[in-house]
Amino acid sequence: MTRVGAPVEPETRTRWWSLPRVVDQRVVVLAWASFVVEVVLIGTGGLVRLTASGLGCPTWPRCTADSLVSTPEMGVHGIIEFGNRLLTFVLVIVAIAMFLLVVRMRRTRPELFWLAFAQGAAIPVQAVIGGLSVLTNLNPYVVGLHFVVSTLLTCITATLVYRAMNGPRTSLRVVPNWYVGVVRGTVAATAVTVLIGILTTGSGPHAGADEAVDGGRLHRTGLDPAILQHVHAVPAYVLFALTLVLVVGAVRLRLSSRWALVLLVVEFVQIAVGLTQARTGLPVGLVGTHMVLAGLLVGAVTVVTLSTRRSAGRAAVRESVLR
């Protein structure tokens, strides 16, 4: 029972089917689901390529000229390729649900609204690029573009998670200028590492399908994968060194170093997997793991960048909205 004269707390609980006015647990859970599905899609997309299933469904958007789904005659390659396409529908459902949950916050939390909108808008773009990759017999540059957009979506969904949990950005930096410079260098090194990694994979033995030929030659970039492996390692080691600076700097400045440490761990595992796969003939499992780790790497770098500024906090925004 409420005491007479006591202030009445604003009602913050909403029924599960109603659209929230402030960030609640549903928003946080769906933000995480958005990020997880994007990383899983990178993994299944890698599985398609690494099992030579890229043309398991030889047409698009249908699997064959006569069937929307894979047929028994298409074997395991058709199942893998069609399964990857089905997972896109899971992402569509998550993206629509995410957008609906933040649509009422478009004035109070515009960053969440536009991040959710960007995630949803990128899905048809990815579908078109995926279709072009099939229609061009898995041209490595088109397939690479597919991966680039996937990493951008990983950035978007990682930002969505961070903003849902920590509130909107403020103009107050919590780190000195030199630290911001190192973070920017880390972002640049990440971008170069990922792009060269895409070229390296597109030049190697995992073209995506045994039948991916054009004029009797495999559809690859024509670049030397052995040389590209060494070129790819240079920005990766630069990235690792810069991340070490971030961790040590955070400790010396008495800042929170957990995200820089997460980034360092991801990089350490990524380097270990990369060296092992290069020395063991590029086994499918390790190459696929390397691709998934690339998605986690991009997500971790995104969060490290976001953490250089103070966030307003969910509670403060919640009070201002419900006041």
Side-chain angles (χ1 to χ4, degrees):
M1 181 179 295
T2 304
R3 191 175 72 255
V4 177
V8 179
E9 294 293 330
E11 181 59 48
T12 60
R13 292 185 179 180
T14 56
R15 295 181 175 87
W16 67 268
W17 61 82
S18 63
L19 299 180
R21 294 171 54 204
V22 295
V23 173
D24 60 16
Q25 196 61 30
R26 294 171 298 171
V27 178
V28 174
V29 168
L30 270 178
W32 273 108
S34 300
F35 176 75
V36 171
V37 173
E38 289 294 349
V39 174
V40 170
L41 270 172
I42 290 176
T44 58
L47 180 65
V48 169
R49 187 169 191 171
L50 298 171
T51 57
S53 303
L55 296 178
C57 288
T59 63
W60 185 88
R62 301 169 69 87
C63 204
T64 70
D66 303 316
S67 175
L68 180 65
V69 301
S70 61
T71 62
E73 294 76 17
M74 300 169 69
V76 68
H77 294 312
I79 294 173
I80 292 173
E81 167 63 11
F82 185 69
N84 185 57
R85 295 186 184 186
L86 279 180
L87 190 59
T88 303
F89 290 101
V90 176
L91 177 60
V92 169
I93 293 171
V94 172
I96 291 174
M98 185 74 240
F99 182 77
L100 290 176
L101 281 182
V102 300
V103 71
R104 287 185 68 187
M105 305 179 209
R106 60 188 179 278
R107 298 187 187 279
T108 57
R109 297 295 303 273
E111 80 284 1
L112 295 182
F113 175 83
W114 288 112
L115 286 167
F117 177 83
Q119 180 194 8
I123 294 174
V125 174
Q126 278 287 65
V128 171
I129 296 173
L132 288 174
S133 67
V134 172
L135 298 176
T136 58
N137 289 328
L138 303 179
N139 182 288
Y141 296 105
V142 178
V143 175
L145 179 61
H146 205 39
F147 191 86
V148 169
V149 177
S150 293
T151 56
L152 291 176
L153 279 167
T154 304
C155 291
I156 289 171
T157 52
T159 305
L160 191 60
V161 172
Y162 189 86
R163 290 292 167 226
M165 296 183 67
N166 297 282
R169 185 184 78 162
T170 68
S171 59
L172 179 63
R173 277 188 180 150
V174 296
V175 296
N177 290 334
W178 70 264
Y179 197 93
V180 174
V182 177
V183 169
R184 289 173 179 171
T186 302
V187 172
T190 301
V192 174
T193 302
V194 171
L195 290 174
I196 297 178
I198 291 171
L199 283 176
T200 304
T201 303
S203 304
H206 301 297
D210 296 332
E211 303 83 7
V213 296
D214 182 14
R217 62 181 179 82
L218 281 172
H219 236 156
R220 296 190 179 120
T221 63
L223 302 173
D224 188 335
I227 294 176
L228 280 177
Q229 285 179 11
H230 295 291
V231 174
H232 176 51
V234 173
Y237 288 131
V238 171
L239 173 60
F240 189 75
L242 289 172
T243 306
L244 280 173
V245 174
L246 292 179
V247 172
V248 174
V251 173
R252 293 290 300 273
L253 295 170
R254 297 183 179 179
L255 304 171
S256 174
S257 60
R258 69 177 183 274
W259 291 117
L261 281 171
V262 168
L263 176 59
L264 188 67
V265 170
V266 173
E267 290 170 7
F268 181 81
V269 177
Q270 181 78 311
I271 290 172
V273 171
L275 291 174
T276 304
Q277 71 177 21
R279 285 163 171 74
T280 55
L282 300 175
V284 168
L286 286 180
V287 177
T289 302
H290 201 61
M291 295 176 70
V292 172
L293 285 168
L296 296 176
L297 172 70
V298 170
V301 169
T302 301
V303 175
V304 167
T305 305
L306 295 172
S307 63
T308 59
R309 291 182 182 270
R310 189 179 302 279
S311 298
R314 286 170 55 187
V317 177
R318 188 182 190 92
E319 289 175 7
S320 64
V321 171
L322 297 175
R323 186 174 298 141

